[in-house]
Amino acid sequence: MLVMLVCFGALIVYGWLVSEFKAKADAFDLAKIPKMESASIILDRNGQQMGKIFIQNRLPIPYDQISKEMVNAIVAEEDNRFFEHHGVDYFGVLRAAISNWHQGKTKQGASTVTQQLARNSFDLHEKSYRRKLLEMFLAERIEDHLTKEQIMEYYLNRVYFGSGFYGVEAAARGYFGKAAKNLSVGECAMLAGLLKNPNHYSPWNKPAEAKKVRDFVLGRMREMHLITRQEYEGAVELNLSVRKKTNPNRVSYAIDLVRQQAIAALGYDTAMNEGVKIQTTFDSKLQMTAERALKSHLTKIESQPGFAHITYQQYHQINAKMEELALRGEPVTMPPTGYLQGAVLAVDNATGGILAVDGGREFLHSEYNRALQGRRPPGTLFTPMVAAAAYSNGLFPGDPVDDDCIDNHFVMIGGVDGILGEWGVERADNEYEGPMPSHEAVARGKNAAVIRLGYMTGLNQLKEFCKRAGIRSPLRDVANAYLGSSEMSLDELTLAYTSFPGAGTRPAKLFTITRITDQEGNLLFENPVTRVQVLPAEAAYQVHTVLQDALFKACVQEAVASGISTNAPLAGKSGTAYDFTDAWFVGYSSAVTCGIWVGFDKPQKIYRGAFGKDLALPIWAQVMNASLAVFPSRELPIPSGLKQVGICRSSGLLPAEGCRKIPGMLATEYATEAEMPTGVCDVHGGGVRSYNRDIDQAEWPRAAAAVDLTRIRPIPVNAPTLLAQSDLYRAVNPTLSIGPEDVNIKVARAISPDGKDPGADVKGPGSAGATNVAVALPVAEKEVRKAEAVRPMDLPSVAPVITIPAPKPAEF
């Protein structure tokens, strides 16, 4: 009777369990099982895989792409009776229960592959008997609706193999660099063994443990007759071999840029989770060349004698020590990424597709993409924009501009000396050369002449041109804006430069993604290609000839040293920001435009004499040489509206006989019908100008002051003016008037013919020979004391007066 009651009670409990948990199991939507987060694949322009973007690094594959040995390894390790049970292995449950009862604790589980699939698909991870019962009923329901092959396929695509790899395909490629269908029996055994504890059996962190679990699984496969003895012995004897560990989450600036643009096109969930295929404009080989060129040349720059900053290698050593301390749990302060940085951007002139991009030396140190996000003054790299604006408004490239010192009232700077003053050329030997064609002034970086060209054009016209060219950054309303003092980004300038090989047009935007398709091949996104008119084709070609000369005349030595052929159909311009804080080069072929930037994240001098032609041009040359093999260049066609004309460099007019007798005085330019000069040179041949394009400097607009000077109270001078020993402005024959007694002393420092200094001769007003007041002051003081006059230090009430007599012709 008691037995009957117990059985009856058991039936009631079983019926209750079946009714409750079966109803719960039936509520799950089994259609979600095949839908799992998967990595989106990034392909280059040739269909080659460049990388992946994902939340879970998973690459789903069908059952027929999984090796038979992988399935057998899972059966041997995880579920011996997989092909025999109906979702739940009750014999295994009983065996595990007895074993755990004998050991007094839970040591064995009995979850089948189907149960694990149910648990992972619907996030059933609560540790309770109720969860276990629901899992069992759900597993049986899955077996009713799916085949064994489908269950194994979904299981192997979903499970976690450690080190960020979800699914067997991602794990096979991550650990062994091969597809899952090509795995050996030993590799399959290692992956199957990882499922118990991916961290403990990691082949990278604990190779001995990984080999031990591999051999254990191989032994189980041998016991179940899934492999032969010979296969077992051969696999066990092999050493554990895995590929070098990589970081699949943060690969490069290029991959991160694609990730951002894919999210913008599709939204975060679709781009990151649904395993879409992203076809891009990148060229993998060119991308690799760009990354290598940037890193290798910046390392070379750091070895220059004048380089006094922390190097990348020094930072790397410090960073490695800090990481070791962090792993030990000790407090650390990570060093700032203060080493020399750079950026590369290469684009397709026809479409605006980015072929290669590198935003810095190390993505793991800083995700800040300097090619797209950094805004720095381009310096003389900007001057072709001034020429383009000028020629677009009808100025002839042969029109002369004066390369001479500019009145400080116009430029608002102090002095004209220095290797690279704001108005100096981009070279160490700074000289003014007088009138020259604006073509030559821009090509050679003759910045005083470029300023005059800018004033002839007008800042408003330049702003309008820059907007059409794709330069979003604003220009400052000051004179040095013509020389690139306004901050801009590398992508803006590179896009603007595509206007010149593009016959006056440019792509509407730069982009990386051409199209995106889902896993079934359906089109989700496609990038349209449109172009924008920037300047007339004639003006674009005129600027192109300027940039050809800038590369092959102004920088010919550096170009040849960098491996550029002087016969190559290329053009480009270097740029150096004031005080050597930024070095640039942007240039192009008929097919590709490439921009380079070198500098620090926090603006500071790289070293004195760090010109763009020395720092940025060699990187550009490596990238462009590599591009020519894939994107052949051709000579740009001359627009039909341009004609060649010979001119005099000084006047910009047709050459006279006198011009032809002066070496180097003749030049050849391209002119439209309206620009074509008609008069003969009025400098060397006595011709008369039939038109006047000169603009009187007195009529030039003054640069606006940064502050309202009327609100500042002037401070009266109540002490003598300090005369420096080094006379920056080279005042000629200064006369010093001293003392309330009207004692005038003229100090002369005469140099004898034999080169000896006989001393200073102190005489009255009008004497000749004085050149340096600071040197003569001690002599003056001695003479004043002799005459029992007041000492110079007793003269605060009367400021010294400097008079400068007219210089003699022989002194110039």
Side-chain angles (χ1 to χ4, degrees):
M1 184 68 177
L2 179 61
V3 173
M4 293 180 62
L5 289 174
V6 170
C7 292
F8 182 72
L11 289 173
I12 294 175
V13 171
Y14 177 75
W16 171 75
L17 290 175
V18 170
S19 62
E20 179 183 356
F21 287 98
K22 187 176 186 304
K24 289 183 177 180
D26 290 342
F28 287 97
D29 182 6
L30 299 187
K32 291 184 178 180
I33 294 177
K35 298 178 180 179
M36 58 192 80
E37 294 178 350
S38 58
S40 295
I41 308 300
I42 299 174
L43 307 173
D44 75 351
R45 58 190 296 271
N46 299 312
Q48 179 179 344
Q49 181 173 325
M50 289 182 60
K52 298 174 290 185
I53 57 175
F54 52 82
I55 295 177
Q56 292 185 354
N57 184 13
R58 178 184 287 112
L59 300 171
I61 55 174
Y63 184 80
D64 59 7
Q65 295 296 308
I66 302 172
S67 69
K68 181 181 178 181
E69 288 79 7
M70 189 69 236
V71 175
N72 290 337
I74 293 297
V75 170
E77 172 63 11
E78 294 293 319
D79 191 351
N80 297 344
R81 300 182 65 250
F82 172 73
F83 288 103
E84 301 170 18
H85 63 65
H86 190 68
V88 180
D89 184 2
Y90 290 103
F91 290 104
V93 172
L94 180 60
R95 182 177 60 250
I98 294 173
S99 175
N100 293 337
W101 180 72
H102 281 298
Q103 297 185 52
K105 57 182 177 179
T106 303
K107 291 284 291 184
Q108 292 187 19
S111 293
T112 63
V113 164
T114 313
Q115 286 176 263
Q116 293 180 52
L117 177 62
R119 183 191 315 151
N120 292 330
S121 298
F122 299 103
D123 197 23
L124 302 176
H125 295 288
E126 178 189 355
K127 291 185 177 181
S128 68
Y129 287 108
R130 294 182 64 84
R131 189 273 303 168
K132 192 70 174 179
L133 287 170
L134 177 59
E135 178 186 292
M136 294 168 66
F137 280 96
L138 184 55
E140 291 185 341
R141 181 167 175 246
I142 290 173
E143 292 274 355
D144 291 336
H145 290 81
L146 300 177
T147 66
K148 288 290 185 179
E149 288 76 12
Q150 288 177 316
I151 292 171
M152 183 60 74
E153 173 189 325
Y154 298 150
Y155 172 81
L156 282 174
N157 279 322
R158 186 177 286 277
V159 289
Y160 181 59
F161 287 92
S163 301
F165 303 124
Y166 290 83
V168 65
E169 182 73 5
R173 294 184 181 277
Y175 287 121
F176 304 111
K178 60 177 67 174
K181 64 180 180 181
N182 298 324
L183 291 173
S184 68
V185 64
E187 293 166 345
C188 292
M190 193 209 80
L191 291 181
L194 282 175
L195 296 178
K196 291 294 186 184
N197 193 331
N199 292 328
H200 181 72
Y201 296 119
S202 169
W204 287 320
N205 300 330
K206 297 183 178 181
E209 295 295 326
K211 185 178 186 302
K212 186 184 298 184
V213 76
R214 180 202 69 175
D215 295 346
F216 172 79
V217 176
L218 288 170
R220 292 287 297 144
M221 295 174 73
R222 173 71 186 96
E223 292 173 5
M224 295 179 65
H225 305 288
L226 298 174
I227 57 174
T228 65
R229 175 179 292 278
Q230 290 78 13
E231 289 174 325
Y232 168 76
E233 292 176 351
V236 168
E237 290 177 359
L238 292 176
N239 291 326
L240 190 68
S241 178
V242 292
R243 67 183 302 187
K244 184 179 179 181
K245 186 176 183 179
T246 60
N247 190 329
N249 296 295
R250 303 166 65 189
V251 180
S252 69
Y253 292 99
I255 299 302
D256 188 61
L257 178 58
V258 174
R259 179 187 66 84
Q260 294 177 37
Q261 296 193 351
I263 291 173
L266 301 179
Y268 185 83
D269 289 338
T270 303
M272 301 295 290
N273 296 333
E274 296 188 7
V276 299
K277 287 188 177 181
I278 306 171
Q279 297 180 351
T280 71
T281 59
F282 284 105
D283 184 276
S284 294
K285 292 183 179 180
L286 194 62
Q287 176 67 33
M288 188 177 300
T289 298
E291 293 175 359
R292 289 177 177 174
L294 183 67
K295 289 179 174 61
S296 63
H297 193 69
L298 292 186
T299 300
K300 184 177 179 180
I301 293 172
E302 290 174 334
S303 65
Q304 296 294 322
F307 192 85
H309 308 277
I310 184 174
T311 66
Y312 173 81
Q313 186 62 31
Q314 291 170 338
Y315 173 85
H316 187 71
Q317 293 172 353
I318 296 172
N319 191 57
K321 293 179 180 178
M322 296 299 103
E323 289 179 350
E324 291 178 4
L325 294 175
L327 290 174
R328 295 200 298 264
E330 300 181 22
V332 297
T333 301
M334 301 303 288
T337 54
Y339 51 80
L340 185 66
Q341 286 287 358
V344 181
L345 182 63
V347 303
D348 184 342
N349 292 338
T351 66
I354 296 177
L355 301 171
V357 63
D358 196 10
R361 297 174 75 172
E362 182 56 72
F363 186 82
L364 294 177
H365 290 171
S366 169
E367 297 179 16
Y368 178 63
N369 192 330
R370 295 156 187 86
L372 308 176
Q373 297 172 284
R375 294 177 64 251
R376 304 296 287 275
T380 45
L381 179 70
F382 180 74
T383 58
M385 304 301 147
V386 180
Y391 304 159
S392 298
N393 284 278
L395 271 73
F396 174 44
D399 283 344
V401 286
D402 193 17
D403 177 39
D404 202 353
C405 181
I406 296 181
D407 184 351
N408 282 352
H409 288 89
F410 293 106
V411 297
M412 296 190 306
I413 62 168
V416 296
D417 287 355
I419 291 181
L420 190 68
E422 286 183 272
W423 319 114
V425 297
E426 194 181 352
R427 53 188 300 155
D429 51 342
N430 180 14
E431 293 181 355
Y432 293 111
E433 301 181 33
M436 63 178 61
S438 66
H439 171 139
E440 183 179 342
V442 176
R444 295 177 56 198
K446 306 297 289 184
N447 292 338
V450 173
I451 286 291
R452 291 181 168 89
L453 176 63
Y455 273 125
M456 293 166 65
T457 306
L459 194 56
N460 288 335
Q461 284 77 7
L462 179 59
K463 289 181 178 180
E464 292 174 1
F465 170 81
C466 289
K467 185 177 180 180
R468 296 194 303 271
I471 296 177
R472 306 175 302 274
S473 300
L475 297 186
R476 292 194 177 97
D477 291 323
V478 292
N480 59 16
Y482 295 120
L483 297 182
S485 66
S486 305
E487 290 82 3
M488 299 174 188
S489 60
L490 181 62
D491 64 319
E492 290 177 293
L493 290 160
T494 304
L495 178 60
Y497 266 71
T498 63
S499 305
F500 308 131
T505 66
R506 64 165 176 86
K509 62 180 179 179
L510 301 182
F511 63 95
T512 63
I513 300 174
T514 55
R515 62 200 312 264
I516 303 176
T517 56
D518 62 16
Q519 296 184 36
E520 287 73 37
N522 299 313
L523 182 65
L524 301 178
F525 172 81
E526 191 166 26
N527 220 328
V529 176
T530 57
R531 296 190 68 82
V532 175
Q533 186 72 40
V534 179
L535 71 166
E538 293 79 7
Y541 191 84
Q542 289 172 329
V543 178
H544 169 66
T545 63
V546 172
L547 293 174
Q548 282 184 311
D549 286 350
L551 175 60
F552 290 119
K553 291 185 179 180
C555 298
V556 62
Q557 294 181 349
E558 292 80 7
V560 172
S562 299
I564 291 291
S565 170
T566 55
N567 296 322
L570 303 171
K573 179 76 174 68
S574 64
T576 307
Y578 183 65
D579 203 26
F580 305 106
T581 58
D582 303 89
W584 304 73
F585 197 95
V586 177
Y588 54 83
S589 65
S590 62
V592 177
T593 297
C594 178
I596 309 293
W597 169 82
V598 175
F600 290 95
D601 289 342
K602 182 179 180 180
Q604 54 187 306
K605 181 185 294 184
I606 301 172
Y607 60 82
R608 187 170 178 81
F611 293 112
K613 59 188 177 65
D614 299 316
L615 273 61
L617 173 56
I619 304 172
W620 178 85
Q622 290 187 49
V623 177
M624 291 304 296
N625 281 335
S627 77
L628 292 175
V630 185
F631 305 93
S633 185
R634 56 178 176 79
E635 294 288 350
L636 298 182
I638 303 173
S640 58
L642 287 180
K643 302 295 181 184
Q644 274 191 326
V645 58
I647 63 168
C648 169
R649 290 178 60 247
S650 293
S651 66
L653 300 176
L654 299 175
E657 285 301 318
C659 306
R660 303 180 192 280
K661 296 178 181 179
I662 304 175
M665 187 55 62
L666 301 183
T668 301
E669 295 290 350
Y670 287 92
T672 65
E673 188 67 29
E675 297 168 350
M676 191 70 67
T678 57
V680 178
C681 175
D682 56 355
V683 175
H684 307 107
V688 179
R689 284 180 186 266
S690 59
Y691 59 93
N692 181 14
R693 293 190 180 177
D694 292 336
I695 299 178
D696 186 358
Q697 290 192 22
E699 300 299 324
W700 287 3
R702 303 282 183 171
V707 296
D708 184 1
L709 299 180
T710 62
R711 300 173 62 87
I712 299 176
R713 182 180 179 182
I715 301 175
V717 177
N718 57 9
T721 303
L722 176 64
L723 299 179
Q725 190 168 6
S726 176
D727 183 6
L728 179 63
Y729 295 99
R730 301 171 184 172
V732 180
N733 297 335
T735 300
L736 180 62
S737 182
I738 303 178
E741 288 87 356
D742 198 25
V743 178
N744 294 325
I745 303 175
K746 178 68 192 290
V747 181
R749 186 174 186 180
I751 305 298
S752 62
D754 59 3
K756 296 181 180 180
D757 183 359
D761 181 20
V762 183
K763 301 179 181 179
S767 300
T771 59
N772 193 314
V773 176
V775 174
L777 280 176
V779 180
E781 180 181 358
K782 181 178 179 181
E783 293 300 319
V784 171
R785 286 177 176 173
K786 278 185 179 182
E788 296 183 349
V790 293
R791 295 179 299 164
M793 65 182 64
D794 294 333
L795 305 175
S797 59
V798 179
V801 177
I802 301 295
T803 60
I804 302 178
K808 299 178 181 179
E811 294 175 338
F812 286 86

